[in-house]
């Protein structure tokens, strides 16, 4: 089912849930809504589900405008962070509930519930009650309940946030696998950018009720269109620095206090046209500790992450996060030389926060 | 590494642990003491006094400054009661009054009001509920006076003044339909208790659960039937139990409205009889002993009902230890 959202606004009194959201989702696509808590992801999802009526704008499922269509007439399946299983029903009754409401015959209900339960690996739990299941099992039941009615659209609201890290990893794979197999158009809300990056075909990044970007994961990562996207996508997050970019002997130079970084023509021209300072962004993996580099600084803190060390290097008043091999055994207080891979640097307008490199 | 062997306790440690046990024991009773004192003073002692009075012939006709003249007459009061030609009528009056008021108002209307006011705008719902609380917080005398003024016969009653103004016949509302007014007037007071309990129970159902039901394909009515009602089962049973008992003992409103009439015992209920016999006899004779017998029977009926409710509704399950969460 193709979903087209045009200029969608949802307000609660004066509080803006989501504003002027335009988003076209293709049939069978897996889209993630990514953004910090309170940015309007759940609001958008519940508006799509028909729980909230849009304040303004149009929502279309296929060619049908569904703005005022009741939730029960939208044929959607939804999975909640809290699982939202009915505590007074058995697992069987939980999964059968959508079928019962559709008035499916008892034997059909029985058959479909068992089939879905087997796919989800919860076949032996059907007689239990939700309270007797682990979080992971409950989430499988919730997924089964959403799938049993063969929905046109699947909505997920942070479904894995309450699970432990290992289970999250397994379920991530399973959900993605299921979605691809069944080809159901899906919207997956999360504040975890790793989840969004690994699962989604495209990611809608939201902040403060506004859509920041809607792109494929690697596109978001390599060519962030706003400073917010650049800072939100990627872990550890991108380093930002106010710099002045000016031409210097056929090349360009990005400058901030004692830091001077040579810059290629393409990126230089795009950012130097700007009067005054611009915001430069550079990812941790694009800064290396080398023997002989562009700038020198002092290691402030070393945080071992296991596979690598997260290192905070101070250069004058500026601070940079970067990653280094644990075998190098860097220590706080050590003086190091840094090399910046400026072919990967991003530049943003300090006022509009839009990228100077990738225009929309 | 030494083996973890349980060391024999030294005698000092033993004394210490005994002292701790005693302290926590005393602590527990200390916390229960205020409630316990209240129960003793306002329930157990009055019950004991009434029990005692019910086997005496104490009445204003034989009352002297020397209470010792009061005679122990065994179960004679109870015998009289069972042979009382009106006891049967009053008993069925009471059952009728409790059943009808409870089912129509204290439970059904309370449920309907709380369902309606939780399905509309929050502040509008709050206003409607506040209105329904008014009868409860108004002093009974004032509240009943309002009703009586509304319904009084021509030319005093407000409704009848309207009737006259419109050229319609006038009615003596309360006299012709005393039960309707007894039930409605008490019912309006009774709604608020269930309403408050049901509303808070409905509002404490997780929003996700309610949304999930709609997404799963239920209409709002189906959601009430399959999700909301089963989830507020305990509050429902509690209100049924509690309100049965409080209706059984309530009589002030009936006393003010019809005083058991019109005619002989038309709307007289058991608790009102106890009051009439003991404290406000038509014939000026306050039969304290005989009235106490009525009261004792009422307490017994209440206790029996409470036990039946607790068994049938399995309230022990409600207060049982929660099973270990397998999360
Ligand atoms: N029912 C509601 N009433 C009033 N404000 C709401 C309601 N739901 C959400 N909001 C507000 O809308 C904004 C977006 O919330 P939400 O969509 O829940 O964010 P997210 O799911 O991204 O964390 C927040 O400021 C929140 O306080
Ligand atoms: Mg949310």
């Amino acid at each position: 089912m193709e979903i087209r959202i045009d200029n969608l606004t949802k307000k609660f009194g004066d509080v803006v849930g989501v504003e002027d959201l335009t988003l076209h989702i293709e049939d069978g696509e897996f889209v993630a809504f990514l953004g910090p808590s309170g940015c309007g992801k759940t609001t958008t999802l519940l508006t799509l589900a028909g729980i909230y009526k849009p304040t303004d704008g149009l929502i279309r499922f296929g060619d049908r405008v569904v703005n005022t269509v009741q939730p029960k007439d939208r044929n959607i399946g939804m999975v909640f962070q809290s699982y939202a299983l009915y505590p007074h029903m058995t697992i069987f009754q939980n999964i059968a509930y959508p079928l019962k409401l559709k008035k499916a015959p008892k034997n059909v209900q029985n058959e479909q519930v068992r089939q879905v339960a087997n796919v989800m690996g919860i076949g032996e739990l059907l007689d239990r009650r939700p309270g007797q299941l682990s979080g992971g099992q409950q989430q499988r039941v919730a997924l089964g309940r959403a799938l049993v009615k063969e929905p046109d659209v699947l909505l997920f609201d942070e479904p894995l946030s309450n699970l432990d890290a290992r289970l999250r990893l397994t379920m991530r794979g399973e959900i993605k696998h299921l979605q691809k197999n069944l080809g159901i158009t899906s919207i997956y809300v999360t504040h975890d950018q790793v989840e969004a990056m690994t699962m989604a075909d495209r990611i809608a990044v939201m902040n403060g009720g506004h859509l920041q970007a809607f792109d494929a994961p690697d596109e978001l990562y390599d060519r962030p269109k706003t400073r917010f996207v650049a800072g939100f996508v990627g872990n550890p997050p991108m380093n930002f620095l106010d710099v002045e970019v000016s031409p210097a002997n056929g090349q360009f130079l990005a400058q901030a206090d004692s830091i001077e970084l040579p810059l290629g023509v393409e990126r230089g021209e795009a950012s130097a046209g700007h009067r005054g300072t611009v915001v430069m962004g550079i990812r941790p993996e694009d800064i290396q500790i080398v023997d002989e580099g562009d700038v020198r600084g002092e290691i402030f803190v070393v945080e071992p992450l296991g596979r690598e060390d997260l290192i905070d290097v101070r250069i004058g008043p500026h601070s940079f996060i970067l990653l280094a091999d644990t075998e190098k055994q860097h220590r706080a207080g050590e003086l190091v030389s840094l090399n910046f891979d400026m072919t990967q640097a991003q530049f943003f307008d300090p006022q509009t926060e839009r990228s100077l490199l990738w225009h929309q | 590494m030494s083996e973890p062997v349980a060391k024999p306790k030294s005698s000092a440690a033993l004394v210490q642990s005994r002292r701790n046990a005693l302290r926590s024991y005393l602590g527990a009773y200390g916390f229960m003491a205020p409630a316990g004192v209240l129960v003793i003073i306002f329930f157990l002692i009055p019950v004991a006094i009434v029990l005692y009075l019910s086997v005496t012939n104490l009445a204003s006709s034989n009352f002297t400054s020397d209470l010792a003249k009061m005679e122990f007459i065994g179960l004679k009061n109870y015998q009289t009661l069972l042979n009382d030609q009106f006891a049967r009528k009053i008993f069925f009056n009471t059952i009728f009054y409790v059943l009808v008021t409870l089912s129509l108002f204290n439970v059904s209307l309370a449920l309907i009001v709380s369902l309606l006011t939780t399905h509309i705008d929050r502040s509008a719902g709050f206003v409607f509920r506040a209105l329904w609380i008014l009868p409860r917080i108004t002093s009974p005398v004032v509240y009943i006076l309002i009703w009586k003024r509304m319904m009084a016969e021509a030319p005093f009653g407000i409704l009848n003044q309207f009737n006259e103004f419109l050229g319609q016949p006038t009615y003596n509302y309360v006299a012709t339909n005393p039960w309707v007014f007894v039930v409605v007037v008490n019912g309006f007071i009774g709604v608020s208790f269930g309403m408050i309990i049901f509303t808070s129970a409905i509002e404490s159902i997780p929003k996700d659960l309610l949304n999930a039901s709609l997404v799963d394909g239920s209409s709002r009515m189906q959601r009430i039937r399959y999700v909301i009602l089963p989830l507020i089962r305990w509050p429902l049973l509690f209100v049924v139990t509690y309100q049965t008992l409080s209706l059984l003992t309530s009589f002030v409103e009936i006393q003010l409205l019809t005083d058991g009439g019109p005619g002989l015992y038309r709307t007289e209920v058991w608790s009102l009889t106890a009051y009439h016999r003991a404290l406000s006899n038509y014939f000026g004779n306050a039969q304290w002993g005989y009235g106490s017998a009525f009261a004792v029977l009422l307490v017994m009926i209440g206790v029996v009902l409470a036990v039946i409710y607790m068994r049938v509704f399995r309230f022990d399950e409600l207060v049982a230890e929660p099973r270990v969460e397998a999360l």
Side-chain angles (χ1 to χ4, degrees):
Chain A
M1 179 74 71
E2 188 190 3
I3 301 175
R4 278 179 294 166
I5 306 169
D6 285 297
N7 309 101
L8 175 71
T9 297
K10 175 64 193 174
K11 289 187 184 165
F12 305 95
D14 289 336
V15 181
V16 173
V18 57
E19 193 163 40
D20 200 22
L21 174 74
T22 297
L23 206 65
H24 293 186
I25 298 168
E26 283 161 29
D27 184 29
E29 200 174 8
F30 194 137
V31 168
F33 287 178
L34 175 66
S37 175
C39 74
K41 307 179 298 285
T42 298
T43 303
T44 310
L45 212 61
L46 290 178
T47 312
L48 287 174
I51 304 290
Y52 295 150
K53 301 272 166 293
T55 310
D56 209 352
L58 270 189
I59 302 173
R60 269 173 290 199
F61 285 5
D63 292 327
R64 186 167 70 132
V65 176
V66 294
N67 278 32
T68 57
V69 174
Q70 289 297 315
K72 69 185 170 69
D73 301 321
R74 297 191 181 206
N75 199 23
I76 41 185
M78 187 157 175
V79 181
F80 296 82
Q81 176 179 353
S82 63
Y83 320 130
L85 300 180
Y86 309 113
H88 58 291
M89 300 184 195
T90 63
I91 300 308
F92 180 94
Q93 289 166 331
N94 263 281
I95 301 177
Y97 186 58
L99 301 176
K100 175 171 158 184
L101 293 168
K102 273 187 175 175
K103 302 203 163 46
K106 276 266 146 47
N107 57 335
V108 174
Q109 288 186 24
N110 207 339
E111 192 179 316
Q112 294 194 357
V113 169
R114 279 173 208 290
Q115 191 186 338
V116 164
N118 286 337
V119 171
M120 298 310 305
I122 45 172
E124 325 79 66
L125 305 176
L126 289 176
D127 295 328
R128 301 218 201 151
R129 281 182 198 273
Q132 298 165 303
L133 265 52
S134 71
Q137 288 170 327
Q138 290 191 49
Q139 198 51 284
R140 280 166 200 274
V141 176
L143 199 52
R145 186 180 63 186
L147 288 173
V148 78
K149 61 199 273 204
E150 297 175 354
D152 294 326
V153 179
L154 269 175
L155 305 177
F156 298 87
D157 193 356
E158 314 216 11
L160 307 183
S161 297
N162 287 1
L163 302 180
D164 64 61
R166 176 182 290 272
L167 202 53
R168 204 146 59 204
L169 211 69
T170 328
M171 287 298 284
R172 208 159 80 190
E174 278 187 39
I175 290 177
K176 181 166 179 174
H177 183 74
L178 258 172
Q179 194 273 341
K180 282 284 161 270
N181 268 358
L182 300 171
I184 304 174
T185 310
S186 300
I187 301 177
Y188 188 103
V189 161
T190 177
H191 65 260
D192 178 352
Q193 45 104 17
V194 178
E195 240 171 55
M197 298 287 281
T198 51
M199 297 174 80
D201 299 324
R202 281 194 291 171
I203 301 175
V205 183
M206 298 174 68
N207 189 31
H210 292 267
L211 182 67
Q212 296 281 325
F214 184 38
D215 267 320
D218 48 355
E219 188 74 13
L220 281 182
Y221 195 79
D222 296 334
R223 284 186 271 279
K225 293 202 175 83
T226 66
R227 180 183 167 169
F228 176 80
V229 173
F232 197 75
V233 175
N235 186 27
M238 188 179 267
N239 298 291
F240 292 105
L241 180 68
D242 287 339
V243 296
E244 263 177 67
V245 180
S246 51
N249 23 348
Q251 273 214 331
F252 286 84
L253 214 53
Q255 246 180 314
D257 299 321
S258 65
I259 304 172
E260 285 190 353
L261 300 163
L263 193 58
V265 174
E266 197 189 335
R267 275 173 155 77
E269 271 176 355
S271 48
H274 241 78
R275 211 157 290 174
T277 61
V278 295
V279 179
M280 182 185 93
I282 186 140
R283 295 204 181 275
E285 62 265 35
D286 296 326
I287 308 175
Q288 247 85 47
I289 296 178
V290 290
D291 295 335
E292 204 61 35
D294 304 327
V295 282
R296 295 182 63 77
E298 185 186 342
I299 295 182
F300 184 65
V301 148
V302 179
E303 290 179 34
L305 296 181
R307 194 147 33 106
E308 47 205 352
D309 286 339
L310 185 78
I311 298 181
D312 183 348
V313 177
R314 297 280 160 99
I315 304 170
H318 307 293
S319 152
F320 294 91
I321 302 289
L322 54 98
L323 295 166
D325 203 328
T326 43
E327 286 178 5
K328 297 266 174 63
Q329 304 210 338
H330 291 295
R331 291 280 168 270
E334 195 180 323
L335 291 176
V336 289
S337 195
L338 299 182
N339 191 13
F340 288 67
D341 181 359
M342 293 301 282
T343 61
Q344 300 300 319
Q346 306 290 331
F347 292 92
F348 303 95
D349 183 315
Q351 262 82 51
T352 65
E353 304 213 327
R354 285 174 186 280
S355 172
L356 299 170
L357 308 179
W358 330 110
H359 302 285
Q360 262 118 329
Chain B
M1 285 282 268
S2 64
E3 293 248 319
V5 179
K7 278 189 220 147
K9 277 184 184 167
S10 71
S11 69
L14 240 155
V15 168
Q16 183 61 38
S17 82
R18 281 228 181 107
R19 194 170 291 161
N20 283 344
L22 183 68
R23 189 172 299 155
S24 71
Y25 188 75
L26 284 180
Y29 280 94
F31 277 112
M32 282 192 284
V37 167
L38 288 180
V39 168
I40 290 170
I41 294 180
F42 291 108
F43 185 73
L44 291 183
I45 292 179
V47 164
I49 293 175
V50 168
L51 253 179
Y52 176 66
L53 285 181
S54 76
V55 291
T56 69
N57 67 350
L58 189 68
S60 55
S61 58
N62 63 6
F63 184 69
T64 64
S65 57
D66 183 7
L67 263 184
K69 284 215 168 143
M70 170 173 85
E71 280 175 36
F72 176 82
I73 56 168
L75 295 178
K76 194 144 166 272
N77 280 331
Y78 293 91
Q79 243 166 26
T80 318
L81 191 159
L82 290 179
N83 293 326
D84 188 317
Q85 55 175 326
F86 294 109
R88 198 184 154 83
K89 179 174 175 62
I90 293 168
F91 180 76
F92 285 109
N93 273 353
T94 310
I95 291 185
F96 173 82
Y97 162 69
V98 172
L99 265 186
V100 174
T101 314
L102 180 78
S103 53
L104 290 187
F105 288 89
N106 294 34
V107 176
S108 301
L109 190 58
L111 192 58
I112 290 169
V113 170
S114 40
L115 283 170
L116 285 177
T117 56
T118 47
H119 278 74
I120 58 174
D121 177 72
R122 259 186 93 85
S123 44
F126 184 82
V127 169
F128 280 117
R129 286 197 299 273
L131 287 178
W132 274 103
I133 292 179
L134 283 180
R136 164 80 66 187
I137 56 175
T138 312
S139 138
V141 176
V142 174
Y143 171 71
I144 298 296
L145 273 181
I146 294 174
W147 274 99
K148 287 184 104 161
R149 267 300 144 88
M150 288 284 291
M151 300 299 161
E153 57 220 87
F156 310 110
I158 295 174
L159 266 189
N160 274 327
Q161 284 179 7
F162 270 112
N163 285 340
E164 280 181 342
F165 179 74
L166 297 172
Q168 299 290 317
T170 58
Y171 302 94
N172 193 352
Y173 291 102
V174 181
T176 42
N177 299 298
W179 272 123
V180 172
F181 286 95
V182 167
V183 168
V184 169
V185 165
N186 278 285
F188 273 39
I189 298 177
V191 165
S192 55
F193 181 83
M195 180 190 77
I196 290 169
I197 304 244
F198 297 151
T199 302
S200 62
I202 293 170
E203 285 188 338
S204 69
I205 298 175
K207 280 282 162 298
D208 277 358
L209 219 53
L210 298 176
N211 289 340
S213 177
L214 292 183
V215 172
D216 281 341
S218 75
S219 65
R220 266 152 232 271
M221 285 309 284
Q222 285 170 319
R223 181 172 70 175
I224 289 173
R225 179 166 159 213
Y226 294 125
V227 179
I228 296 179
L229 288 184
L231 286 179
I232 62 168
R233 178 167 163 245
W234 289 119
L236 254 168
L237 299 182
F238 168 72
V239 167
V240 168
T241 306
Y242 189 88
Q243 293 285 274
T244 305
L245 300 180
S246 70
L247 278 170
L248 262 182
T249 54
S250 79
F251 67 88
V252 176
E253 290 78 16
I254 303 180
Q255 185 202 356
L256 291 168
L257 191 69
T258 64
D259 201 21
L264 270 181
Y265 307 116
R266 181 103 177 257
T267 56
E268 178 100 348
V269 291
W270 202 266
S271 50
L272 185 55
T273 309
Y275 169 82
H276 277 150
R277 295 291 174 190
L279 301 166
S280 168
N281 196 293
Y282 295 130
F283 313 109
N285 180 19
Q287 299 164 289
W288 295 307
Y290 189 40
S292 298
F294 274 88
V296 167
L297 277 186
L298 191 66
V299 170
M300 277 162 57
I301 292 172
V303 170
V304 169
L305 273 181
V307 170
I308 291 175
Y309 273 132
M310 280 172 72
R311 281 287 156 79
V312 173
F313 295 158
R314 295 193 301 221
F315 276 105
D316 48 337
E317 243 175 52
L318 180 64
V319 292
E321 297 262 335
R323 278 181 284 267
V324 176
E325 283 278 329
L327 273 175

